[in-house]
Amino acid sequence: MKNRWLNALISSSLSIVPMIAIILILSFSKLSPLDAGRGDYTLLLVGMVILIVGLSIFQIGASSSLSKVGEYMGASLSKQKNLFIVILFSFTLGALITVAEPSILIVSKQVNINPFLLIGGIAVGVGLFVVIGVVRIIVHKPLKVWYLLFYFLTFALLILVVMDPNKRIFLPFIFDSGGVTTGSATVPFILSLGAGIAMVRGGKNARNDSFGLVGMASIGPILTVAILLLFAPVSGEFDPTSTYTQLGSTNPWMMFINVLIPHNGSTGTIVDVLIALLPTMAIFLIYNFIYIKLPKAKLLKLLVGFAFTYVGLTIFLTGTSAAMTPIGFYVGQQLGAQSTWLIILIAFIIGLVTILCEPAVHVLTTQMEDISDGRTKKLTVLLTLSLGVGAAIALAVIRTIFNFSIMYYMVPGYAISLVLMFICPDIFTAMAFDSGGTASGPMSSSFVLPMIVGITVALSTKNGTDPNYYEQSFGVIALIALTPVIAIQILGVVNNYKSVIARYKMRTHTYSKEDAQIIYFN
């Protein structure tokens, strides 16, 4: 147990410290100077400790709660002969666990859309597509065909959004809604659910079918949020100065307390996370009582895991909201005053380490290494994802600076990813779409998005223009979700090419006459 905690602390430190180091380098180089007098360094360093501790506790808790719930549910649902029960509990748990997703809770506070309507729409989308993904695994249908079908339907629906001049500005946010869905809460559950169903169902493609459910779940919110924004009255107004707490406006210690406990109409993370996790636990307990009937010892261990998950997630969300969001907004404002190419370069570097701070990425990469029997190394996947996210944030900054439609990225990006499916091994395609949904987690929502908004504020001030934040700033989470899909599939193509070359060399190996001799032993 001691080693488990130590490993979690080391893993969390390696995830958080690089981002803190970049912020400090930007400060010491005067590109984005923090002010010691107003407590900026205290906020940053205390935030770092809180993030490391929270992430460590969450990782311990998630592995023995959310992941286990997914495994138990997957194994049980795959044996169910009543399809209605499969659909009912897959949808309910998929939707409820989405409500617990930190990224959604963070983003819902940054947009001028009714949070209950927004979170409800996203949850319904995830629930529907978790059901579709589960049914696909059970009936053993190819993942590629389903991705092609639903992405075709998605872009067909988005044409209606593009044609409406009043709704068109929400396109970047619609794509973002798919990215924020799958993070630290949903990924452990959905990954384990898919793996549990695939392994119990068996078959020669069970290993491939273990992945792909996270990628499937990411499609649903894009469809449901697009429908929601087409028919619901929404406002395109966005005021970053009132949305984000300004550095120096409050004592650093009070910033953490204000985020943690109910304050000025906000329920606080201590309540938000409890409300988010309780329904998931309750539904599972009901299902367990009727069908699974776990021994009391396992059930107690599961409840303890949920308690750790609650504490860890509460601490982690408090750190991101109190420290990383205001610092991210400030860093963006300072960077926006720099030259165009310097902004893009720094954005790329920040992207390289952002992926390391996402809790769900470590769950995914570990499971990828396990499922592939060690052939797909965790470090290799992390480096590939890191380059992909670095490119994503750099592309997002370019779009913010030159202010063009996100469709110039999304259409060719998804076209490339869908074409790569047919030249990439199936297992890498499934892992790629899962990694895309996983890469865009709480740190993307709490630090990167405010940073892009800050850059937008600085650029509009410098150019004397009126910014449209929904069009210029949003969309970065969608890009963070898209580029890893392409990057991991390219990694799959490269690995496949290496395997082909290795087999070719073995076949063309020439043996000497001595090698072909038969030796007889008396």
Side-chain angles (χ1 to χ4, degrees):
M1 186 65 179
K2 184 179 178 181
N3 288 338
R4 192 180 174 195
W5 279 103
L6 181 61
N7 290 336
L9 278 171
I10 293 172
S11 172
S12 300
S13 299
L14 292 174
S15 299
I16 303 300
V17 169
M19 177 64 77
I20 305 300
I22 286 181
I23 295 172
L24 290 174
I25 291 170
L26 290 174
S27 177
F28 296 148
S29 65
K30 305 301 180 183
L31 289 173
S32 180
L34 297 176
D35 188 343
R38 66 186 178 193
D40 293 356
Y41 288 105
T42 301
L43 181 69
L44 179 65
L45 296 177
V46 172
M48 177 186 72
V49 174
I50 288 176
L51 288 171
I52 291 172
V53 172
L55 184 55
S56 301
I57 297 173
F58 171 80
Q59 287 178 341
I60 295 293
S63 64
S64 55
S65 60
L66 295 174
S67 293
K68 289 297 180 184
V69 166
E71 288 176 14
Y72 294 142
M73 289 294 294
S76 177
L77 288 173
S78 63
K79 299 173 184 176
Q80 280 285 348
K81 296 180 180 179
N82 189 335
L83 187 60
F84 174 76
I85 296 297
V86 174
I87 293 172
L88 175 64
F89 281 96
S90 296
F91 174 82
T92 305
L93 273 172
L96 287 178
I97 209 160
T98 301
V99 177
E101 181 52 53
S103 301
I104 296 175
L105 298 175
I106 293 169
V107 169
S108 66
K109 297 175 182 178
Q110 299 183 49
V111 295
N112 193 23
I113 300 171
N114 184 298
F116 295 104
L117 196 63
L118 176 62
I119 294 173
I122 291 175
V124 168
V126 173
L128 286 173
F129 274 75
V130 165
V131 170
I132 292 170
V134 165
V135 171
R136 181 200 72 81
I137 296 173
I138 292 173
V139 300
H140 194 43
K141 295 295 181 182
L143 183 64
K144 296 175 182 178
V145 175
W146 292 62
Y147 277 148
L148 279 174
L149 171 63
F150 287 113
Y151 273 112
F152 174 80
L153 291 175
T154 298
F155 280 93
L157 177 63
L158 291 176
I159 291 174
L160 298 177
V161 180
V162 172
M163 292 171 62
D164 188 332
N166 296 321
K167 308 292 185 179
R168 191 182 303 153
I169 63 170
F170 293 105
L171 267 174
F173 177 72
I174 291 172
F175 281 109
D176 277 350
S177 65
V180 299
T181 300
T182 44
S184 50
T186 50
V187 165
F189 167 76
I190 295 177
L191 276 177
S192 300
L193 179 66
I197 294 173
M199 293 308 170
V200 172
R201 190 216 64 201
K204 63 178 182 179
N205 292 321
R207 189 183 300 271
N208 294 353
D209 286 338
S210 297
F211 292 96
L213 191 55
V214 173
M216 188 69 73
S218 300
I219 302 173
I222 300 176
L223 287 168
T224 52
V225 171
I227 294 170
L228 175 67
L229 293 177
L230 274 172
F231 296 102
V234 289
S235 169
E237 296 178 1
F238 181 88
D239 182 8
T241 55
S242 62
T243 301
Y244 304 122
T245 303
Q246 307 298 299
L247 290 180
S249 62
T250 310
N251 178 282
W253 297 103
M254 287 304 299
M255 290 178 75
F256 290 106
I257 294 172
N258 290 342
V259 171
L260 178 65
I261 62 176
H263 175 75
N264 287 345
S266 171
T267 52
T269 54
I270 197 169
V271 177
D272 287 342
V273 177
L274 184 64
I275 293 173
L277 285 177
L278 276 179
T280 302
M281 187 172 65
I283 292 296
F284 174 74
L285 290 175
I286 292 170
Y287 185 88
N288 172 71
F289 179 76
I290 300 172
Y291 296 106
I292 303 177
K293 300 178 181 177
L294 289 174
K296 288 183 179 180
K298 286 189 175 181
L299 196 58
L300 180 61
K301 188 176 180 181
L302 195 70
L303 293 175
V304 171
F306 265 109
F308 276 103
T309 302
Y310 168 72
V311 172
L313 203 50
T314 301
I315 294 172
F316 183 80
L317 272 180
T318 300
T320 56
S321 298
M324 300 312 294
T325 296
I327 289 174
F329 182 60
Y330 171 78
V331 167
Q333 286 179 297
Q334 300 302 307
L335 289 180
Q338 309 301 323
S339 66
T340 297
W341 293 111
L342 185 59
I343 299 172
I344 296 170
L345 176 62
I346 293 173
F348 175 75
I349 294 171
I350 289 174
L352 291 178
V353 299
T354 297
I355 192 70
L356 301 176
C357 304
E358 300 294 0
V361 166
H362 298 279
V363 177
L364 174 70
T365 51
T366 299
Q367 190 156 351
M368 288 170 75
E369 189 172 59
D370 292 342
I371 292 292
S372 64
D373 295 327
R375 290 192 301 272
T376 304
K377 298 297 182 184
K378 181 176 180 177
L379 180 60
T380 303
V381 178
L382 277 174
L383 289 173
T384 304
L385 289 174
S386 182
L387 289 171
V389 174
I393 298 179
L395 289 171
V397 167
I398 291 171
R399 199 180 73 82
T400 299
I401 294 170
F402 297 103
N403 192 17
F404 54 86
S405 172
I406 195 171
M407 298 302 281
Y408 287 105
Y409 285 152
M410 293 292 111
V411 173
Y414 276 105
I416 291 170
S417 64
L418 293 174
V419 168
L420 280 171
M421 290 195 306
F422 296 97
I423 56 176
C424 175
D426 289 346
I427 184 65
F428 275 91
T429 293
M431 290 192 297
F433 279 90
D434 279 359
S435 65
T438 305
S440 48
M443 195 58 69
S444 302
S445 308
S446 64
F447 181 82
V448 177
L449 177 57
M451 183 186 75
I452 300 295
V453 173
I455 291 173
T456 307
V457 171
L459 290 173
S460 62
T461 302
K462 184 167 63 175
N463 300 330
T465 57
D466 293 326
N468 188 316
Y469 295 103
Y470 279 105
E471 283 190 310
Q472 284 184 261
S473 303
F474 287 88
V476 60
I477 298 174
L479 285 170
I480 291 174
L482 172 61
T483 51
V485 177
I486 298 172
I488 294 295
Q489 287 192 103
I490 291 173
L491 175 64
V493 172
V494 170
N495 279 11
N496 193 45
Y497 174 76
K498 288 180 178 178
S499 297
V500 170
I501 293 299
R503 288 196 297 268
Y504 174 78
K505 287 181 177 179
M506 289 180 66
R507 286 195 300 267
T508 56
H509 180 73
T510 303
Y511 294 92
S512 65
K513 291 182 179 180
E514 287 76 13
D515 292 334
Q517 288 180 355
I518 299 175
I519 301 175
Y520 296 94
F521 294 94
N522 294 326

